[in-house]
DNA sequence: CGAGGTCTTGAAGACGATCAACAAACGTGG
DNA sequence: CCACGTTTGTTGATCGTCTTCAAGACCTCG
């Protein structure tokens, strides 16, 4: 079940046989969640970190007025909750957009990895650094991009990240989100998301059919959303 | 010079004598920057990571239309650029709001720390996780808080973080930023920042005299900005 | 078939941006 | 020490983006 993790890490740097084995030997427990059921909540102190194996999950906080803000979107292979290993107390919640399968890794075993496998530790650290890089990119989008550009950026990011885990079909991919859920991600109202979708459609950049999205003009969409994939740090190199 | 780092880490967990020594033995090079001079730039591949010893620094990206978005604010003791140790390529730039003194730590030596000091490695990892937690908090603010609330939140955060490094005087602190610079942080226009400052003043929450800020009613300001310090993870506990 | 969720459209209004002008503070050089 | 230019803070007016409210169309599923 941790094959996804190995794959994801090996994309950024080579792992030794010993490291792959160390991962494979982690005593994971499988955890299933139906659509819309939270995995962990703000304030929790989890004893395990959760790796998303299948489905779409997200991290969020709700504002005082009850508006939800999504802080991160997660696709299969993402170590959704690795930071709780060291932060201890959750400063946000984790929810699911579809039925999800998680591999739960005990913190005690992660700790053992850090004691015995320095390079593997750096690779796990790296994966949390990439999460942070995505946070920063979203901050730029939230602060300085118009609504339609934010949406365009999100589509580029999701296509790129899904492609890495082989969940795209050319320029098409499944994004099982309603427009209301998109509005929680983009920090917009549902109505305005609808108008942005129509804008991108009208500009001929995407075809949006239910949950299936097809990018019609990648270069134009990336330009529209000021998307540059540097921040995803996809290069394979010694770390 | 790395005493600040030791202090900052020891706030979150105890360090052993060996760990403190390992830090003290790091061969740092001092680097000075005048106000407004960048330390590293988007696209760079630094060979050192920079710890801020003195002054105010920030990380930023500029949008295509030339608007700057600040992604993080840094106070003395912050390991501004630790992530470049593993990410390699900079996905943002680092600038200074005042004259700054940095301690530059070679990546090679950080790597040696990760090979020899697992717990210290976790502590360094932790400090990047806290950066990410602050990014997430800012995302919530940008997406779901009104302008004046965002400003209130920022003031609460800065007071809390400066207090930790002993740079507050009761409820007063120095924030050497112009309103234009604040607008880059909050994702607003300078004019609107001015109006928000006046709003908080009129509500009796803060006194703002040049670069000196005094919080008049902490509870009310925190309420106004939906500020809760959980996300700063200030507790001292085994990590 | 009916109920509920989702998408869509219109109209009104709020929030923040932009443009413009001026006052105050500051630093520099004469 | 003053004159001057520059930066910063402040205010007003106008405009655009996005929100909110409301209603109808469409779809799915029991």
């Amino acid at each position: 079940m941790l094959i996804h993790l190995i794959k994801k890490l090996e994309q950024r740097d080579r792992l030794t046989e010993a490291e792959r084995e160390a991962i494979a030997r982690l005593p994971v427990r499988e955890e299933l969640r139906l659509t819309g059921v939270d995995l962990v909540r703000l304030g929790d102190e989890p004893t395990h970190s959760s790796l998303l194996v299948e489905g779409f999950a997200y991290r969020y906080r709700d504002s005082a007025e009850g508006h939800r803000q999504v802080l991160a979107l997660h696709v299969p292979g993402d170590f959704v909750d690795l930071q709780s290993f060291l932060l201890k107390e959750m400063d946000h919640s984790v929810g699911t957009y579809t039925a999800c399968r998680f591999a739960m890794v005990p913190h005690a075993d992660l700790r053992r990895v850090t004691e015995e496998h320095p390079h593997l530790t750096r690779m796990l650290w790296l994966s949390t650094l990439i999460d942070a890089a995505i946070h920063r990119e979203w901050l730029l989008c939230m602060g300085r991009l118009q609504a339609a550009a934010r949406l365009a950026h999100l589509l580029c990011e999701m296509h790129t990240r899904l492609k890495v885990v082989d969940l795209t079909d050319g320029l098409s991919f499944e994004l099982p989100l309603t427009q209301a859920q998109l509005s929680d991600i983009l920090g917009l109202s549902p109505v305005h998301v609808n108008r942005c979708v129509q804008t991108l459609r009208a500009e001929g950049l995407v075809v949006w059919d239910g949950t299936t999205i097809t990018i019609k003009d990648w270069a134009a969409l990336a330009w529209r959303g000021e998307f540059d994939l540097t921040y995803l740090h996809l290069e394979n190199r010694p770390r």
Side-chain angles (χ1 to χ4, degrees), chain A:
Chain A
M1 198 156 46
L2 293 181
I3 184 71
H4 299 78
L5 177 60
I6 294 176
K7 269 189 176 168
K8 193 180 171 184
L9 297 183
E10 286 207 304
Q11 216 173 271
R12 265 91 178 193
D13 190 10
R14 303 189 57 166
L15 297 184
T16 66
E17 187 55 42
E19 289 168 345
R20 278 194 296 271
E21 260 179 44
I23 294 178
R25 268 204 311 273
L26 286 171
V28 299
R29 166 164 61 84
E30 187 175 77
E31 191 88 22
L32 302 172
R33 280 291 182 287
L34 295 179
T35 303
V37 180
D38 285 356
L39 180 70
V40 269
R41 292 254 174 72
L42 179 69
D44 284 358
E45 300 205 0
T47 58
H48 293 61
S49 279
S50 38
L51 176 76
L52 180 57
V53 176
E54 201 182 330
F56 279 77
Y58 66 105
R59 307 199 249 166
Y60 71 94
R61 280 272 299 280
D62 292 327
S63 77
E65 293 91 52
H67 285 290
R68 178 156 301 188
Q69 179 61 50
V70 171
L71 308 169
L73 260 178
H74 289 292
V75 304
D78 286 355
F79 220 139
V80 175
D81 193 25
L82 184 49
Q83 82 280 334
S84 74
F85 164 47
L86 294 176
L87 288 180
K88 305 304 178 190
E89 181 175 357
M90 292 297 295
D91 53 40
H92 60 272
S93 305
V94 176
T96 58
Y97 279 136
T98 65
C100 283
R101 210 148 57 87
F102 294 95
M104 308 298 290
V105 185
H107 287 170
D109 293 278
L110 289 173
R111 188 191 173 102
R112 205 164 32 70
V113 166
T114 66
E115 301 283 344
E116 296 169 6
H117 298 278
H119 176 251
L120 186 50
T121 302
R122 290 199 297 274
M123 293 306 291
L124 292 176
W125 185 353
L126 173 67
S127 80
T128 65
L129 290 176
I130 292 168
D131 278 355
I134 296 173
H135 292 335
R136 286 192 294 271
E137 186 77 13
W138 285 26
L139 269 173
L140 175 66
C141 292
M142 298 283 276
R144 296 304 186 194
L145 260 50
Q146 304 224 114
R150 294 224 283 275
L151 177 58
H153 187 283
L154 180 69
L155 296 181
C156 290
E157 176 179 318
M158 290 319 290
H159 181 266
T160 304
R161 289 172 61 190
L162 288 169
K163 187 176 175 182
V164 167
V165 287
D166 232 15
L167 290 173
T168 55
D169 175 15
L171 285 172
S172 293
F173 60 100
E174 290 294 307
L175 195 70
L177 302 176
T178 66
Q179 293 180 355
Q181 289 166 336
L182 277 171
S183 77
D184 293 339
I185 297 169
L186 298 170
L188 298 168
S189 68
V191 170
H192 203 59
V193 167
N194 180 275
R195 289 177 171 134
C196 291
V197 169
Q198 292 178 58
T199 302
L200 297 187
R201 276 205 275 243
E203 291 172 0
L205 301 180
V206 295
V207 170
W208 201 310
D209 175 29
T211 60
T212 305
I213 294 168
T214 305
I215 297 174
K216 281 306 186 186
D217 184 340
W218 172 267
L221 189 67
W223 177 261
R224 192 74 163 80
E226 298 189 23
F227 180 79
D228 175 313
L229 49 66
T230 304
Y231 74 100
L232 292 173
H233 297 275
L234 291 168
E235 299 84 23
N236 192 297
R237 49 156 92 199
R239 313 256 183 187

